[in-house]
Amino acid sequence: MKRLVLLGGGHAHVKVLDDLARQRLPGCEVHLVTPYRRQIYSGMLPGWIAGHYPIEACAIALDRLAAAAAIGFHETAALGLDLAQQSVHCADGSDVRFDVLSIDTGPMPALQDLPGSTEHAMPVRPIERFIAAWPLLVDRILGQCRRFDLVILGAGAAGVELAFAVQRRAAVEGWSHLRISVVGADELPLAGAPAATRKHAARLLAQRGMAWIGGRRAARLEAGHLHFEQGEPLAFDACLAATGAAAPAWPATSGLATDERGFIRVGPTLQSVSHPNVFAAGDVAAYAAERPKSGVYAVRAGPVLAHNLRAFCEARELQVWTPQPRALYLISTGDRHALATWGRWSWSGRWVWRWKDHIDRQFMRRFGTVA
Ligand SMILES: Cc1cc2nc3c(=O)[nH]c(=O)nc-3n(C[C@H](O)[C@H](O)[C@H](O)COP(=O)(O)OP(=O)(O)OC[C@H]3O[C@@H](n4cnc5c(N)ncnc54)[C@H](O)[C@@H]3O)c2cc1C
C-alpha cells in the first residue's frame, strides 16, 4: 500500500481533499498533516475584522473534509523532511512516512530582515495566531483613552485590505481615538496593480481618514517606534505587519531544490525539480513560470495537483500546468466597497464588493465551513 502525505491544508490541498472525498484513491493510504483543524480563507479575513462575517464563515473544516475522504488527520506542523528515509518530522515528535509527498504549507511573514519585528510587530501570519491576538489588540484600543496609533506595515493587497477593514470596524464601533497609518516602500500602495487603482487606493485611504506613508523602507522596530532607512521614526501603539511572503527554512534545509528565496522549485507538473515524488503548490512553491504569491494561483493549482497526485500514485501520465498570466484581484476597501483589477483593467464600487462576496461565499460553500 502506497502512502500519500499532504502537508498543510492550504488552498490547493482543500481541492485535493475534496477530490479524494468524491473519489477514493485505491491502493493508497492518504494522510493530512496540518497544525489546525480549520483553514482560514484569507480572502474573507478582512471581512471578519470589518464585522461582515463571523469567523466560522471564513473557515474551511479540514477535519471534516479529511473524514469525508477517509484519510488520516495529524494535527501538527512539519518541522523538516528526511528525504532519504521519506519521512516528515513533526512538531509533536512524530515521524510520518511517505512514498509520495505534497506540500501546500503557505508562506511565512517576510520579517526576517526587520530587526525587532518578533518582539514589536503583530504579523498577519500565521493567520490563526493573528486571529487569537486580535481581541487583545481590540482590548488595548478600548482601554486607552488618549489617541491610539495603529501602524500597518506593508501596502500590498493584505496590508491595504487590513487597513480598510480595521477602519470600518473602528467607524462602526466608535473607536474615534484610533489613528491608522499605512506604510509602504513604494510611492503608492498596491504594487503591481494598474496605476489608476494605486492612486484610487491612496485616495480612498485619505478619504477614510487614514495616513498613507509611502516611499519609506522600514529598517527596524523598537518598542513604540518604527525606524526607516531614512527620515524620522514613526511612533505607534501597535504595529500590524503584512509585509509579504517569505519561505519557511525547512524545505531548503531538508535538501529540496529551492529558488534563491527558499521556495520549492517545481516543474510544470508541480513536481519538485529535485525529488519527483514530492509535489508543491501555493505560495510555498516556485513555479516554472514565475507568478506573484497569491491565493488565486494556489486555488488554480488545486485541480492540477489533485489530478497529478492521483495519476502519479496510479503510474499514469501527469498534466502540465501553466499558471494564467493574469489574475483577477478583488480588494475589499472596508465599507462593502471593493476594487478589482485584471491586468491593466480596474473597477471599483459596491457592486465589486458584492461580486467578491459572491465568489468568496461560493468558494466556502464548495468546501464546507466550520459553522
Ligand atoms: C489579509 C490577507 C488578505 C489576502 N487577500 C488576498 C486576495 O484578495 N487575493 C489573493 O489572491 N491573495 C490574497 N492573500 C494572499 C493569500 O492569503 C495567500 O497567497 C494564500 O493564502 C496562499 O495559499 P497557500 O495555499 O499557499 O497557503 P495558506 O493559505 O497559507 O495555507 C497553508 C496551510 O498550511 C498549514 N501549514 C503551515 N505551516 C505548516 C507546516 N509547517 N506543516 C504543516 N502545515 C502547515 C497552514 O496551517 C495552512 O493550513 C491575502 C493574504 C492576507 C493575509
Side-chain angles (χ1 to χ4, degrees):
M1 181 77 94
K2 271 206 184 100
R3 271 171 81 99
L4 164 62
V5 172
L6 309 175
L7 277 193
H11 291 66
H13 274 176
V14 292
K15 174 62 192 161
V16 174
L17 292 171
D18 182 57
D19 179 75
L20 290 168
R22 286 168 202 275
Q23 194 190 351
R24 299 282 149 79
L25 188 49
C28 205
E29 194 183 299
V30 189
H31 294 264
L32 172 65
V33 176
T34 194
Y36 302 102
R37 305 187 80 79
R38 63 184 189 179
Q39 166 71 5
I40 302 295
Y41 179 42
S42 57
M44 290 174 80
L45 184 74
W48 169 68
I49 294 169
H52 299 321
Y53 313 113
I55 197 66
E56 294 75 20
C58 315
I60 295 167
L62 291 176
D63 49 358
R64 280 217 300 268
L65 265 180
I71 70 175
F73 188 86
H74 305 247
E75 194 176 342
T76 182
L79 294 181
L81 308 175
D82 183 333
L83 292 163
Q85 296 297 318
Q86 302 200 146
S87 74
V88 182
H89 182 54
C90 300
D92 65 358
S94 63
D95 288 294
V96 181
R97 197 186 59 73
F98 66 85
D99 296 300
V100 183
L101 180 68
S102 178
I103 306 174
D104 178 17
T105 48
M108 305 279 291
L111 287 170
Q112 317 88 309
D113 299 332
L114 190 63
S117 56
T118 313
E119 304 89 324
H120 304 299
M122 178 176 157
V124 68
R125 282 181 180 279
I127 289 179
E128 288 286 0
R129 260 187 237 162
F130 175 81
I131 289 171
W134 169 253
L136 307 177
L137 174 62
V138 172
D139 284 350
R140 283 186 56 209
I141 296 171
L142 292 177
Q144 186 161 306
C145 304
R146 63 172 173 83
R147 168 175 161 158
F148 190 105
D149 280 296
L150 177 68
V151 166
I152 297 184
L153 181 57
V160 167
E161 284 199 304
L162 280 178
F164 282 111
V166 178
Q167 188 276 335
R168 147 88 193 183
R169 183 71 174 271
V172 170
E173 309 257 346
W175 305 340
S176 53
H177 62 310
L178 182 69
R179 292 285 177 283
I180 302 172
S181 304
V182 183
V183 175
D186 286 2
E187 288 305 323
L188 287 170
L190 298 178
T197 309
R198 301 183 69 183
K199 285 186 193 145
H200 191 168
R203 263 198 317 273
L204 279 178
L205 286 170
Q207 274 170 18
R208 306 269 171 87
M210 291 180 272
W212 162 243
I213 302 173
R216 305 291 299 276
R217 206 164 270 285
R220 68 189 161 86
L221 280 154
E222 60 184 39
H225 284 93
L226 170 59
H227 293 266
F228 299 100
E229 285 177 356
Q230 285 180 332
E232 288 297 298
L234 183 64
F236 64 78
D237 292 293
C239 175
L240 297 188
T243 40
W250 55 266
T253 53
S254 304
L256 280 177
T258 59
D259 70 3
E260 62 290 348
R261 294 200 291 156
F263 294 106
I264 303 167
R265 283 184 57 211
V266 295
T269 54
L270 301 174
Q271 286 168 287
S272 151
V273 297
S274 58
H275 294 78
N277 63 332
V278 178
F279 292 70
D283 282 2
V284 80
Y287 299 122
E290 201 184 324
R291 293 290 181 271
K293 302 288 175 203
S294 93
V296 177
Y297 291 107
V299 170
R300 289 300 178 107
V304 183
L305 183 64
H307 175 277
N308 283 358
L309 290 174
R310 191 177 284 280
F312 188 84
C313 292
E314 293 173 346
R316 288 187 290 110
E317 200 180 329
L318 307 195
Q319 269 177 11
V320 160
W321 182 57
T322 309
Q324 61 199 82
R326 278 178 296 276
L328 174 68
Y329 290 103
L330 295 161
I331 297 150
S332 51
T333 47
D335 194 13
R336 295 186 197 274
H337 176 279
L339 305 171
T341 70
W342 168 263
R344 61 193 174 87
W345 302 98
S346 63
W347 306 269
S348 70
R350 289 181 175 268
W351 68 272
V352 179
W353 190 87
R354 288 196 295 275
W355 185 22
K356 173 173 167 48
D357 178 60
H358 173 74
I359 291 174
D360 287 345
R361 285 180 193 269
Q362 204 176 31
F363 181 79
M364 297 305 289
R365 263 199 303 275
R366 245 172 75 202
F367 300 114
T369 61
V370 298

